[in-house]
Amino acid sequence: MTAKIISGREVAEQILTTDLKNKVIALNENNIKPKLVVVLVGDVKASASYVAQKEKFAVKAGIESEVRRFKKDVTEDEILTVIDNINNDKSIHGVIVQLPLPDHISVAKVLNRIHPSKDVDGFTPTNVGKLFLGEDTLVSCTPKGIMQMLASTGTNLTGKNVTVVGRSNIVGKPVAILCLQQHATVTMCHSRTKDLNAKLADADIIIVAVGIPKFIHGDQIPEGSIVIDVGIHNIDGKLCGDVDFDSASIKASSITPVPGGVGPMTVCALIENTIIAAERIG
Ligand code: NDP
């Protein structure tokens, strides 16, 4: 079997230039101009390229975006004041703080300061709690993008076995909750899981977010499964994921590539969340 490629790049382009663009046009007609602010501290090279992609996608959907840059020695109090000002600025609908932050700034403190209605990364305790309870909320971007990619394959998750490898707060846990909400049977794996291969053996869908290059190989995945690879690594100038694409794509029925898979969908979800926030805030 040769797997179908689930192109996050194509799915994102479609969502951005149709659904989202139309929503922005409708908002503009009511004098609402969705605006995203990205707070960027220091000069981490990877952060700069992520931010550039966010700006590019914002343009595609027709929303405004602004990057507020700060030197790496900015104080925690200064960043908290920046967040307070953004919370109170009616022209801004969404804010994200690009991670990582320098060690002297508490990530939890900064993220918790963002007003939940503008928390377009979906990281605040309020929005995470609402997601857990199945309430309407701003869903964090990578899990949201993964669900949209699965939807693009026409897969109905009801009764499907989903194995999630990785239990981070930003990917593994929320994507497991979203799959549960769609009536999948979810198995969560992590670094202490015994016999990972057994947990993968009966999976219909495998979602991998471990942060280890080419961690999952074709011989670990069942024939015909759908494989979503969240990882992204730069090995000697070449990008790869947490899944060994060459061996996995012989076994899977569909698979996401790296690059061009989960990455663009994450950014697309961020733009969508900003538009949702603008629709709610007005
Ligand atoms: P974290 O480092 O926060 O979490 C990694 C998870 O993998 C942990 O739960 C850990 O278990 C688990 N793990 C580690 N080793 C093993 C092992 N040997 N067997 C099973 N599980 C293991 O990572 P993130 O979720 O933040 O990110 C994962 C990857 O996805 C990274 O490559 C990251 O760069 C990428 N990423 C990509 C995004 C995109 O938009 N494309 C967005 C976010 C992340 P334990 O909890 O026990 O330590």
Side-chain angles (χ1 to χ4, degrees), residues 21 48 62 94 116 131 158-160 223 243 271 277:
K21 206 165 184 186
L131 174 70
T158 302
K160 293 281 190 310
E223 190 88 37
V243 174
I271 304 299

Side-chain angles (χ1 to χ4, degrees), residues 20-273:
L20 297 188
K21 206 165 184 186
N22 289 338
K23 283 186 175 175
V24 173
I25 290 168
L27 282 165
N28 289 347
E29 280 166 2
N30 288 312
N31 261 333
I32 300 165
K33 294 193 164 51
K35 180 172 175 181
L36 169 69
V37 170
V38 178
V39 175
L40 182 59
V41 179
D43 49 9
V44 180
K45 207 174 153 204
S47 295
S49 75
Y50 293 140
V51 168
Q53 197 181 24
K54 284 164 187 164
E55 288 185 290
K56 202 169 115 191
F57 277 31
V59 170
K60 277 184 198 272
I63 75 166
E64 206 180 314
S65 74
E66 181 192 325
V67 183
R68 298 200 180 167
R69 293 168 203 275
F70 300 89
K71 297 213 170 93
K72 65 174 186 298
D73 58 359
V74 65
T75 66
E76 185 177 272
D77 278 347
E78 282 171 307
I79 291 297
L80 292 173
T81 304
V82 168
I83 300 292
D84 288 342
N85 291 339
I86 290 171
N87 285 341
N88 293 325
D89 185 334
K90 287 192 163 44
S91 72
I92 298 169
H93 304 93
V95 57
I96 66 157
V97 177
Q98 187 68 45
L99 302 179
L101 288 172
D103 290 344
H104 65 279
I105 301 178
S106 157
V107 173
K109 220 170 171 180
V110 170
L111 296 184
N112 290 350
R113 195 69 159 242
I114 297 173
H115 194 278
S117 66
K118 297 190 180 187
D119 166 32
V120 285
D121 251 341
F123 288 165
T124 57
T126 300
N127 286 332
V128 173
K130 283 184 170 181
L131 174 70
F132 191 89
L133 295 170
E135 292 177 17
D136 205 13
T137 187
L138 293 166
V139 175
S140 62
C141 301
T142 302
K144 179 173 179 152
I146 292 170
M147 299 314 285
Q148 288 174 324
M149 270 199 288
L150 285 172
S152 78
T153 66
T155 307
N156 180 349
L157 266 67
T158 302
K160 293 281 190 310
N161 292 333
V162 177
T163 298
V164 180
V165 191
R167 57 173 167 179
S168 70
N169 289 335
I170 63 167
V171 186
K173 284 182 200 163
V175 84
I177 297 285
L178 291 170
C179 290
L180 270 179
Q181 284 170 2
Q182 292 194 23
H183 314 297
T185 302
V186 181
T187 303
M188 293 212 61
C189 304
H190 46 78
S191 65
R192 323 277 168 90
T193 296
K194 284 184 191 153
D195 199 357
L196 176 62
N197 287 350
K199 311 287 185 280
L200 295 167
D202 69 347
D204 300 299
I205 296 162
I206 297 171
I207 301 171
V208 189
V210 289
I212 303 171
K214 302 188 182 187
F215 178 70
I216 299 288
H217 286 80
D219 56 9
Q220 295 171 283
I221 67 169
E223 190 88 37
S225 53
I226 297 176
V227 177
I228 306 287
D229 186 356
V230 182
I232 182 146
H233 311 276
N234 188 332
I235 309 289
D236 300 329
K238 205 167 170 242
L239 294 181
C240 72
D242 286 349
V243 174
D244 178 53
F245 183 85
D246 291 343
S247 60
S249 59
I250 297 168
K251 296 285 286 296
S253 60
S254 303
I255 188 167
T256 60
V258 178
V262 174
M265 290 304 298
T266 297
V267 184
C268 177
L270 174 70
I271 304 299
E272 180 167 351
N273 278 350

